[in-house]
Structures are given as structure tokens and as C-alpha cells.
Amino acid sequence: MSRKNYLFTSESVSEGHPDKICDRVSDAILDAFLAEEKLARVACETFATTDRVIVGGEVGLASPEKLDSMMGRIESIVRDCVKDVGYEQEGFHWKNLKVQNYLHAQSAHIAQGVDNAGAGDQGIMFGYAVNETAELMPAPIQYSHAILRTLAQARKSGEASVLGPDSKSQLSVNYVDGKPVNVSSIVLSTQHLDASMTSEDVRAVVEPYIRSTLPEGWITNKTEWHVNPTGAFVIGGPDGDAGLTGRKIIVDTYGGAAPHGGGAFSGKDPTKVDRSAAYAARYLAKNVVASGMAERCTIQLSYAIGVAKPLSIYCDTHGTGQVSDAAIEKAVAEIMDLTPTGIKDHLQLTRPIYERTAAYGHFGRAPEADGGFSWEKTDLVEALKRAV
């Protein structure tokens, strides 16, 4: 029997975190190639450090002659990303940093498996949903994201212009009878532009935004606050700590509340099942919970490179299911084509919709009119019920 009373902690990092800068650059480059050619194949990695951003990886285009012209756009894409995040500091400024581009044509040996509509790699992918928030996400990660998103909006609007782009949040949530009821501790470290500010000064700026973001009653007189606990945080971003694409996979998904297959998302086109199948698994798990079949649901999919159909489909409703896990496994295979092509077509993943996913989580976001976050829809509920 699972525990009912416990503390669970998750963290998030802002769009200005060094790793998130790299995720964003990789996804912005992916979007640029998909806008040029919807079946473009991209595996883009980014590294950032003091005054430098390095881009590398593989690109496959049906029209190889377009590759040279696209290469000329990479530097401006990088600078635009850094500028929008807000870096104009000594040591990392969008206008002055050096950009090095090492993208090249996709390996023919990798391409041959995808050319036959197979998966772009082997691997395991997990999706998860739980009914403890409206978004069917675990509360600790969902509200950790929300705090940083709120602070970023305040910073960019000028309301909290003293804050810098780089920040991290962490919430320890108290569960009673299996449901989140309050926050036992709040940790926030945020870059600030005024070197004279103390931790108490920073708390005075951020506390109203944190209180407005968390559900009413979640902050109590027992809640512990740790705001910039080490003191000054003026040097932020890649000048303070190097960044790399794909290093925040738990932040990107469920905050540790569910398994992770190990593959990162950013910079990868939808032939890479690390990304597309993880989106599909979340989509299926969310629809299972939205249908009322379970309070919690984990879906695992597995693939082999060059093979289209998943090797296995696994469901675990953690003892909360109204129908058997085996019945759900059978149903999800019936209502959705889980080949890479089927996933890509069903969720319309060939559009340039990925840059926006690079910060504040790939899941628990509202579906958008242009197809962004299509995997967050709950439009399979009726089909699931009929299949079961």
C-alpha cells in the first residue's frame, strides 16, 4: 500500500538558467528548420559559457541546398534567444557574445532507419498524470514552474526590474491522505542586479509574487523560507555556470514524481522518440486520468531504432484504477497509432512549436491555437471509454 502522509519536493529553473538558455537555443534552431521544411530532421546541442555559445549536431533536409542558407541564420537565432531572455550583463550579453556553429548533415546510417518510418533511436519513454492539480500534474513541480514564470513576467514587465534572468525554485509539499495540502518549505534563489541587496531585500521583492501564485492556505506560519540562502547572486547565467542542452530532464517532466526514460527533449525533431513518444505517453496518461478511469496513471512505451511499432506498452494506475491496467494497455494501443509517424501525425508535431517548451515544463501547459502543447489535450476521453 502506498503512503498517504509524506513530504515531496520538486524544483524548477527559469528561462535564464544556463541549461535552459541552451535548451531554448536548440529548440529555436529546430523551429527554424521545421518552418523551412516540415520533415526536417534535427538533433541540435548547445553549450554556453562566459561570452560564448557553441552549437553543434546533425541536420537532415530533403533539399540539401537549403542547408547553407540556413547556416547563415544560426547566429541571429542565438542572439535573439539570449536577448529575449534578458541577458545584457558583462560576461554574457546578447550583442557581444561569440557564436560558434558546428551543425552538419545528418549521418546516413541514422537516416536509413528513419527513412523507413522507423524510430530514430531505441529507448524507453514514460508519461504520467495525476488528479492533484487542474492540469493533472504533480503539485510540487507545477507550482515550482508557476512561481518562476510569474517572477519572469514581473521582471520583463518592469514591475520587478531589479531581478535578473537566472533563478531556481524548490517546493516541499505536505501530503495528507495522499493529497497536497500545504507547503512546508520554499526555496528560491534568484539573480539580482543591485549588488547591495541582501537576502531579506530579495525576499521582500519576491514574496508577494510567490504568495499570489500558490493556492490559498498553502503558506502557513510553519512554512520555512530560504530566499537566496547563500547571499549575493549577481553573476548569473552562463557567465556564472556553464550550460548544456538536455541537463534538466526532471525539471522538464514531472519533478521526480514519475519515472524518466533518460532521453532529453530539446533540439530533437519528432522522429526522435525520446521526444515524440514521451509526449504521446503523457497524452495517453492524461486522458486516462481525465476519463475518470484512474486517479494516477503511468504509461511506458519502448522502441527499437528503425522499427516503427512500439516493442511494449505498459500501464500502472498505482492501485487507483477503476478498470484493469491490462485493459488500459489494450485500449491505448487501439485508439492511437503509436508508431513515430502515427504520433507525429496525430499530435501534428511537424510544426515549429518547440521553442516555447524549453522553459517551465513540457507538460501541464494549456494547448494552444497553433498546435503548441497538443499533447495536453483531453480529446481521447470518449474513445478510451468506448475501447475499455
Side-chain angles (χ1 to χ4, degrees), residues 14 27 40 90 109 121 168-169 182 184 206 297 324 328 337:
S14 71
D27 275 335
E90 185 179 354
H109 291 173
D121 202 353
K168 302 177 77 171
S169 63
N182 58 49
S184 69
V206 302
C297 182
S324 73
I328 294 174
D337 179 355

Side-chain angles (χ1 to χ4, degrees), residues 37 53 254 275:
E37 193 174 280
V53 174
Y254 308 103
R275 183 170 219 160

Side-chain angles (χ1 to χ4, degrees), residues 190-372:
T190 181
Q191 183 184 11
H192 51 95
L193 305 183
D194 182 350
S196 69
M197 292 180 75
T198 65
S199 297
E200 290 74 20
D201 295 333
V202 175
R203 176 172 172 174
V205 173
V206 302
E207 183 171 342
Y209 296 104
I210 295 173
R211 288 185 177 275
S212 69
T213 301
L214 293 177
E216 186 175 354
W218 273 36
I219 297 176
T220 72
N221 57 9
K222 294 183 179 180
T223 300
E224 297 179 11
W225 290 75
H226 302 279
V227 177
N228 283 18
T230 62
F233 183 7
V234 177
I235 301 172
D239 186 35
D241 190 10
L244 192 66
T245 299
R247 280 205 299 206
K248 287 293 178 284
I249 58 177
I250 301 303
V251 170
D252 287 342
T253 53
Y254 308 103
H260 195 293
F265 301 156
S266 291
K268 297 178 181 178
D269 74 81
T271 67
K272 281 75 171 176
V273 283
D274 275 345
R275 183 170 219 160
S276 56
Y279 289 176
R282 160 64 179 173
Y283 179 55
L284 294 171
K286 185 174 184 180
N287 276 269
V288 168
V289 174
S291 73
M293 292 181 187
E295 295 179 13
R296 295 171 59 200
C297 182
T298 299
I299 298 284
Q300 185 206 55
L301 305 173
S302 69
Y303 292 84
I305 188 168
V307 178
K309 289 187 177 180
L311 305 182
S312 65
I313 301 172
Y314 168 79
C315 172
D316 184 359
T317 55
H318 307 276
T320 70
Q322 301 301 307
V323 298
S324 73
D325 293 347
I328 294 174
E329 290 168 358
K330 184 172 183 291
V332 298
E334 290 176 2
I335 65 172
M336 185 175 178
D337 179 355
L338 292 172
T339 65
T341 298
I343 294 170
K344 179 181 63 180
D345 292 346
H346 189 111
L347 297 177
Q348 296 181 283
L349 297 180
T350 57
R351 292 168 293 183
I353 56 173
Y354 296 104
E355 183 179 355
R356 69 195 75 169
T357 69
Y360 313 120
H362 292 245
F363 308 129
R365 311 281 288 271
E368 298 178 349
D370 67 349

Side-chain angles (χ1 to χ4, degrees), residues 91-114:
F92 200 74
H93 193 299
W94 64 270
K95 189 181 293 185
N96 303 326
L97 59 84
K98 182 175 182 179
V99 178
Q100 294 172 258
N101 175 18
Y102 298 101
L103 289 169
H104 57 83
Q106 185 182 44
S107 160
H109 291 173
I110 291 177
Q112 64 188 353
V114 184

